[in-house]
Amino acid sequence: MIVLGIESSCDETSVAVLRESGEFETEVLSNVISSQDFHKLFGGVVPELSSRAHIQQVLPLVKEALKKAGTTLEEVEVITATAGPGLIGALLVGFMFAKSLALATKKVFIPVNHIEGHIFSGFLGGEKPEFPMLVLVVSGGHSLLLLVKSFTEFARLGTTVDDAAGEAFDKVSKLIGLGYPGGPKIQRYAERGNPLAIPFPVSELKGRYDFSFSGLKTAVLRYVEKHYPERHIPEQDLPNIAASFQYAVIRALTRSVKRALKEYRVKSVSLVGGVAANKPLREAIAEIGNNQNVRVFIPGFEFCGDNAAMIAFRGYTLYKSGYGSDFEAETFPALPEAGWGEIVNGEQ
Ligand code: KG4
Ligand code: ZN
């Protein structure tokens, strides 16, 4: 079985082709990603410009992905696309394109939740994680901790009560003058800094798995206002600020993971989403797994940020689980407050 996936929820247009290689196992034949770098001129993603770029990119990328995969549209059985959450105009481009293509060529069409794409992206590497699995999703739009029991049962244990982890990286980066996107820039500066130089606070949400990053962001702002009233931070001071901020984010995330590992007996831990590209965070999660004797699955960089391979894989697992074509499906901008990720009630 060959599956085609299309992702267009934000500023990456991506198309992937997967081939089934076993039960709930696939091989990625191609995963082409076109990143809209021009948004950095505006300090963040401009939705209208993003939609226009997706329109220009989607058809050439479908052709390129099929060519790279060494296959043709005729051989594709299932077409999948991101339905949400994301920027609605951007989503509509990839989603309607995929739906029309499936309708015209009489293929199965499976709408995919972008976050579910991230959740199962740990399966895109060589080895397969085992359920039950604890998954930390950290991206520009979401921070979630989930207990995943199967491809169709998962429970949201915690989420962000304010900013997402990637959003915190992006906002602090802008605040200290490093620009957008913040994650990779902060990581680079942090490499030369001392993480213990500035004791930025990590907010404690008692007894819950939720995260909060807005207090940390405000603490960085107050620190900058106090020490640099002119708002000019000398180059030599940036590494310590970046390293101390990054350390605080990692502490907040790892604390929840450690706490959850005490409460739930899982076989695997997975770190996914754009922020999973952060090297010290990858190392911290890997170390927790080692200490607790739990296997750790962190996707390769290509599958951390937004990509269509994870969308195709999620669509494939839904299809394998009995979900059929859904041409009635619509795009949606945000995760529902309730009714998603509440399938299991905590106990195993
Ligand atoms: O998953 P993603 O590509 O898009 C969303 O679905 O949001 O995540 C993008 C986020 C951005 O906030 C970016 O700053 C962050 O991932 N990011 C990183 C790193 N690389 C990307 N954050 C920390 N360290 C990195 N190396
Ligand atoms: Zn994402």
Side-chain angles (χ1 to χ4, degrees):
M1 183 197 320
I2 303 252
V3 184
L4 179 93
I6 299 184
E7 153 66 28
S8 71
S9 67
C10 191
D11 57 348
E12 262 96 26
T13 325
S14 177
V15 181
V17 179
L18 311 187
R19 185 198 289 132
E20 183 175 47
S21 54
E23 270 294 288
F24 288 95
E25 263 183 54
T26 58
E27 179 193 350
V28 180
L29 299 182
S30 65
N31 181 41
V32 293
I33 304 173
S34 164
S35 296
Q36 305 169 2
D37 289 336
F38 58 80
H39 292 292
K40 61 175 178 266
L41 298 172
F42 306 96
V45 178
V46 183
E48 176 60 24
L49 297 181
S50 165
S51 314
R52 288 189 207 183
H54 286 307
I55 291 173
Q56 288 172 337
Q57 292 294 325
V58 69
L59 179 57
L61 288 186
V62 167
K63 288 183 177 164
E64 190 186 332
L66 287 168
K67 195 168 167 213
K68 272 200 170 153
T71 187
T72 59
L73 191 56
E74 287 71 52
E75 291 187 68
V76 172
E77 183 174 333
V78 181
I79 296 183
T80 72
T82 307
L87 301 170
I88 206 73
L91 286 164
L92 272 169
V93 177
F95 189 76
M96 294 313 288
F97 183 92
K99 206 192 231 190
S100 316
L101 188 63
L103 200 60
T105 55
K106 300 196 171 52
K107 312 230 182 249
V108 174
F109 174 67
I110 308 274
V112 171
N113 180 313
H114 180 87
I115 303 299
E116 292 174 22
H118 278 301
I119 291 173
F120 297 102
S121 58
F123 284 78
L124 291 169
E127 283 182 74
K128 245 168 75 167
E130 265 185 283
F131 298 122
M133 165 170 86
L134 188 69
V135 181
L136 177 63
V137 183
V138 273
S139 73
H142 298 88
S143 305
L144 289 162
L145 188 65
L146 301 117
L147 178 64
V148 180
K149 292 178 80 176
S150 71
F151 284 114
T152 50
E153 297 168 284
F154 47 87
R156 188 160 30 173
L157 301 179
T159 186
T160 180
V161 297
D162 38 58
D163 295 344
E167 200 177 350
F169 269 97
D170 294 336
K171 286 181 175 169
V172 165
S173 176
K174 207 167 173 177
L175 180 72
I176 62 175
L178 300 185
Y180 176 88
K185 295 210 163 103
I186 291 203
Q187 182 185 315
R188 209 169 318 120
Y189 272 88
E191 279 161 14
R192 289 182 280 121
N194 172 8
L196 303 176
I198 310 158
F200 287 131
V202 178
S203 42
E204 180 86 49
L205 300 164
K206 280 260 174 299
R208 297 157 68 201
Y209 293 108
D210 286 346
F211 314 104
S212 164
F213 293 110
S214 79
L216 172 60
K217 183 188 66 194
T218 309
V220 178
L221 175 65
R222 296 282 170 267
Y223 181 88
V224 171
E225 283 173 346
K226 186 172 165 207
H227 294 87
Y228 313 97
E230 313 272 288
R231 283 301 192 97
H232 174 74
I233 308 173
E235 184 73 16
Q236 71 268 21
D237 291 3
L238 287 169
N240 278 352
I241 301 176
S244 302
F245 161 75
Q246 181 176 269
Y247 180 64
V249 175
I250 294 174
R251 261 190 0 249
L253 296 172
T254 50
R255 191 178 51 201
S256 281
V257 170
K258 279 188 210 156
R259 199 182 277 162
L261 282 177
K262 281 204 183 107
E263 190 171 342
Y264 302 101
R265 239 176 306 113
V266 295
K267 292 201 169 129
S268 330
V269 176
S270 190
L271 169 70
V272 299
V275 184
N278 186 272
K279 205 165 155 254
L281 177 61
R282 294 168 85 91
E283 287 165 359
I285 299 289
E287 193 186 323
I288 293 172
N290 271 343
N291 293 341
Q292 312 267 339
N293 268 327
V294 179
R295 296 187 64 202
V296 174
F297 294 85
I298 308 176
F301 293 117
E302 175 189 10
F303 305 125
C304 286
D306 291 343
N307 68 88
M310 69 180 193
I311 301 303
F313 182 73
R314 179 55 182 153
Y316 160 76
T317 60
L318 288 171
Y319 185 55
K320 285 291 279 187
S321 306
Y323 286 76
S325 247
D326 185 2
F327 286 99
E328 301 296 311
E330 304 277 0
T331 51
F332 59 93
L335 277 182
E337 287 290 322
W340 181 87
E342 280 155 22
I343 302 160
V344 287
N345 52 15
E347 83 274 312
Q348 294 178 61

